[in-house]
Amino acid sequence: MTARRSFTAASSSSVRDRDFLLRPRPRPVDILQAVPGLYTNQHAGGGKANQYFLRGFDADHGTDVALFVDGVPVNMVSHAHGQGYADLNWIIPELIERVEVAKGPYFAQFGDFATAGAINLVTRRDFEKSQVTLGGGSFDTWRGLFIAAPEVEGWEPVIAAQVYGTNGPFENAERLQRFSLFTQVTRALSERSWLSVTLTSYGSGWNASGQVPLREVSAGRLDRFGFIDPTEGGNSQRHSLYGTWRALTEDGGEVSVLAYAVQYRLNLFSNFSFFSRDPDNGDMIEQHDARTIAGLHASYRFRREWRGLAFETTLGTQLRTDAIANSLYEDRARERLATVVDATVREGSLGLYAQEDITFTPWLRAVLGLRGDLFGFDVDDDLEDVGTQETKSSGTRQASRISPKASLVFGAIPATELYLNAGAGFHSNDARGVVRGADAVTPLTQARGYELGARTRLFDALDLAGSVFLLDLDSELVWVGDEGTTEARGPTRRRGLEAEARLRILPWLFADVDLTVSRATFVENAGNADAVALAPTLIVAGGLSARHPSGAYGRLGVIHLADRPATEDRFLTAEGFTRVDASVGYRASWFEATLGLQNVLGTEWREAQFANVSRLPDETGPESCPAGTRPAGEDTFEGCEDLHFTPGAPFNAQASVSFFF
C-alpha cells in the first residue's frame, strides 16, 4: 500500500495513486487523507485553502506543514489570511502519481514551514491513454475532466482540463464553480538529460455559510446547515509556469534545476463574530491578497567511495521572491465600509543546504545535513500613523537561521530498520509583524525535533512502522489576518507516537490502519491553561482496499478524530467524530465507472470548529449568554465565547464514468 524505498525516518513514506485514488475525494486535497497521521478539513466554502492537522499541529492553512507540487512551493508567506496559506484546490487528482511525505524537521532540502513535516505531490509525466470523465451526484455536484496524452515522437505531452461545480449541503447554496487547466511537455534532450515545462491555470468562486454558533443550533433556532451571514465566500485565481531540467553525470550523479513563476489573487469575505464589533453593519471583513512569486531550486548530487565507505553528497540552493499587495477591509454584504490594512510587501529568501549520506556497512547509515537561510522583509504600509511615535508599521529587516540535521539508520535485523532522527527547522512570520518596531515578532521561529522509530516487514505480507516524536517550537507567534494584528502565544511542546500497518491478505486484498496520539501544550503556562487550542490528540484511520484482476476495485474506510481542547483552559471542547466512507469501481480497457460514498452511516459530525466571541442581534448583555458559553467584554458587552463550527456533510454519493481512447 505504501511504497517501499530506502527510508531515512520511520515516518517517511511515499503514497502511490493506486492508494489515494481508491478513496472518495469530494475535494482535491482529500487525496492527502491517505497520508498516515494527516487530516484535512474545509470551513469556508470550497475555494478557501484547507486546514491541515499533523503531529499535534492544527497547522491552520499551512503554517507548520510545507506543501509542494513537483517541488514548487505552495505555501504563501505574509498572506492576507494567514502565514503559510497553502491552497491545493487547483490540483487535478488524476494527474498526481505519488505523494512524498517527510515528517519532522530532519531533511536538509526543506526550509520554511517544514516543522511538522513536508509533503510533495508529484505529477504523472505519461499516460497510457487519453480520457474523458463525466461525473456528479449529491448536492447538485457535477464534474467534467479531459486528459489528452497524444503520442508525439520525442515528446511526452499531457493536456488536462477540469470543470467542477457544487451547491454543497448548506441552506445557503455554496454555488462553487472552479476550472483547472494543466499542460506539461517533457522531452529527452539526450540519453542522460530531460527537460519538462508545465503551465497551470485555475480560477474559482463560491459562497460560504461560515461557522455557525453552537448555542443557536442547540436551542433549535438555527439548522446545523444554516447560516448567519449569507454573503460570506470569495474568489481566487492561480496561474503558474515552471520548468525542470535534470541530467545524469558520468559518475552516476545528478544535476537538477527547477525554475518557477506564480501569479495569484484571493478575495475572501468572512464574518466570524457577526455583530460583536459593529451592531449596525455587522462584522464582515474582506481580505485581499495579490502577488507574484518567482523562484529557483538547483541541486547537485554525486557519489564516491573512500576506504570502504560510500558517500552520497547533495548540495543545493533555493531562491524565492514574493511581491505582495495585502489589504483588509470592513464590509457589509461584500461592500467596503473602511480600510483597515493597505500594505505592499516584498519578501525574499535564499537557502543553501548540504547533505551527506554515509554508508558505513550494509546495516549502518548516517545522514548529516546543514541548512542556512537568509530572509529579507520590506513593508510599505500606506496607512502608517506617521504623526505618532512608536507606531512603526513600515520598514525593512533581515534575519537568518542555521538548521543542522542528523539521522542514523540501523539495519542489522533482517527486514527491519531502526531510525534515530534529530534536527532543527523553522517557520517564517508575517513581514508586517516582523517590521513593527518595538512590537516586532520573531522573523524566523525555530523548531527542534527528535524521533525514534522502526520499520519491519514480516512474512512478506505485513509492513509495520512506528515512531515516537518530540518537537519544541520557540513561539506560536502568528499574524492574525482576521484582525490585522500579531499575537504572541509563547513556546510550545508537542510529543506523541505514530503507528501504521499494511497487510496483504490476498494478492488483491489489503488492510491498513494508522494511529497518531499527540499532546500539544504551552511550555510556560501553568495549571489548566496550557492546551494548544484545536491541536489534534488522536487520529485513527483504517480500511480494506481491493484491486481484483477482473478490474473491480473498492475500499471501505473509517476515520476517527478524537475530542480536543478548543480553548487553552479547556473550557470549550471541539467534539470528535467517527466517519465511514466507501467506494467501488470497475476498470475495463476502454472505460471505467466509479461510485464514491461519504459518511455511509449518516453521522452528524463537525468538520471544522473554532472557539471565538460572537454576538447576535438579540444578545444585549451577559445574561444573553446561555450555559456552556461565557460572556466577553469588561466595560461593554462584546458577545458570548462559544464554539462555532462548519457541519460535516451528511451521507452523499458521487458517481463518474471515464472513457479511454
Side-chain angles (χ1 to χ4, degrees), residues 159-469:
I159 303 171
Q162 174 188 252
V163 290
Y164 174 88
T166 185
N167 280 328
F170 309 100
E171 291 182 355
N172 181 37
E174 191 173 350
R175 296 180 183 174
L176 169 66
Q177 293 186 0
R178 76 162 69 102
F179 72 85
S180 301
L181 303 176
F182 178 94
T183 302
Q184 184 178 85
V185 179
T186 303
R187 180 174 175 81
L189 303 179
S190 68
E191 292 183 356
R192 307 179 69 89
S193 65
W194 301 264
L195 176 66
S196 178
V197 178
T198 306
L199 176 68
T200 73
S201 186
Y202 159 80
S204 69
W206 69 95
N207 290 335
S209 294
Q211 294 90 55
V212 295
L214 179 60
R215 60 186 182 276
E216 289 296 288
V217 176
S218 298
R221 293 186 292 268
L222 183 68
D223 187 88
R224 61 193 307 266
F225 292 100
F227 58 91
I228 300 295
D229 188 337
T231 60
E232 293 190 62
N235 55 78
S236 181
Q237 294 183 6
R238 185 188 187 277
H239 313 283
S240 72
L241 174 66
Y242 60 93
T244 303
W245 174 72
R246 286 190 175 91
L248 301 179
T249 61
E250 294 292 339
D251 58 359
E254 182 184 59
V255 179
S256 176
V257 179
L258 165 67
Y260 59 88
V262 180
Q263 189 176 58
Y264 167 86
R265 180 182 62 79
L266 172 72
N267 280 78
L268 186 63
F269 303 91
S270 308
N271 191 339
F272 302 100
S273 50
F274 311 131
F275 295 93
S276 177
R277 184 185 68 248
D278 188 338
D280 297 321
N281 296 303
D283 296 351
M284 171 168 280
I285 59 172
E286 175 189 351
Q287 295 163 310
H288 172 73
D289 190 287
R291 69 179 62 208
T292 300
I293 308 169
L296 176 74
H297 182 185
S299 65
Y300 173 39
R301 176 175 54 83
F302 59 94
R303 298 182 177 92
R304 67 192 189 281
E305 293 186 1
W306 180 75
R307 295 189 177 183
L309 304 180
F311 296 86
E312 182 176 285
T313 305
T314 304
L315 304 174
T317 182
Q318 297 163 339
L319 301 104
R320 172 172 170 171
T321 179
D322 288 63
I324 312 164
N326 267 332
S327 303
L328 174 65
Y329 305 96
E330 294 177 354
D331 280 26
R332 178 176 182 176
R334 301 197 185 189
E335 183 175 346
R336 293 174 183 173
L337 300 175
T339 303
V340 180
V341 173
D342 187 3
T344 300
V345 178
R346 289 167 292 275
E347 185 169 337
S349 62
L350 168 64
L352 301 173
Y353 66 90
Q355 179 174 285
E356 192 71 69
D357 191 331
I358 309 170
T359 301
F360 297 98
T361 70
W363 52 268
L364 178 62
R365 288 172 55 218
V367 182
L368 307 177
L370 185 66
R371 181 181 180 92
D373 289 273
L374 174 65
F375 277 68
F377 307 89
D378 185 355
V379 178
D380 287 327
D381 183 3
D382 292 338
L383 302 182
E384 184 170 11
D385 181 2
V386 297
T388 305
Q389 291 295 305
E390 300 182 359
T391 59
K392 179 182 178 181
S393 55
S394 298
T396 61
R397 189 172 178 183
Q398 286 189 339
S400 60
R401 177 70 66 188
I402 300 296
S403 304
K405 327 271 186 176
S407 299
L408 285 176
V409 183
F410 304 88
I413 304 173
T416 300
E417 287 187 329
L418 305 177
Y419 307 87
L420 180 63
N421 310 98
F426 70 94
H427 73 239
S428 63
N429 284 313
D430 192 288
R432 292 166 291 177
V434 167
V435 303
R436 280 184 176 270
D439 296 328
V441 302
T442 303
L444 307 176
T445 296
Q446 188 178 46
R448 293 170 298 279
Y450 313 91
E451 183 173 334
L452 175 64
R455 279 186 176 273
T456 188
R457 184 172 179 83
L458 303 175
F459 316 114
D460 200 32
L462 176 62
D463 291 291
L464 300 173
S467 62
V468 292
F469 64 87

